[in-house]
Amino acid sequence: LKRSSPDPPPAATQRHPPPRAMGTSRRTALKGEQYEKNIGKPSSSKKKDKAPFTVGPMVLALFLFVVVGSAILQIISSAQKGLV
């Protein structure tokens, strides 16, 4: 008993999904293949060293002055109104 054509492979073993309504460009397909090859591999990008201070000390001092100063003024203001 010979069959005229071989059975197609099951859907789970096919390498590429069936075509969709819009085709992908060759560049997109190549990028997708590159991405799939890199899955599970450690990152090849070099880790960049961060600067020790991302905000300068003067900016941090100004921020603290404004925040603490406004909190103190709020406490004084509410104390004068008798809310504390």
Side-chain angles (χ1 to χ4, degrees):
L1 297 172
K2 283 190 171 182
R3 293 184 182 176
S4 61
S5 64
D7 289 336
T13 60
Q14 288 180 350
R15 182 174 171 103
H16 297 289
R20 297 184 186 160
M22 287 185 59
T24 58
S25 69
R26 182 67 183 147
R27 183 175 181 203
T28 306
L30 288 174
K31 288 288 184 181
E33 288 176 13
Q34 267 185 337
Y35 175 77
E36 288 187 18
K37 287 179 186 177
N38 289 332
I39 291 177
K41 292 184 180 178
S43 170
S44 63
S45 64
K46 296 178 182 177
K47 293 185 178 181
K48 296 179 182 178
D49 292 332
K50 289 188 176 181
F53 298 107
T54 56
V55 177
M58 292 301 290
V59 175
L60 184 60
L62 177 66
F63 178 74
L64 288 175
F65 175 76
V66 169
V67 170
V68 172
S70 67
I72 291 172
L73 288 176
Q74 185 71 34
I75 291 170
I76 292 172
S77 174
S78 62
Q80 286 178 348
K81 292 179 183 176
L83 298 175
V84 173

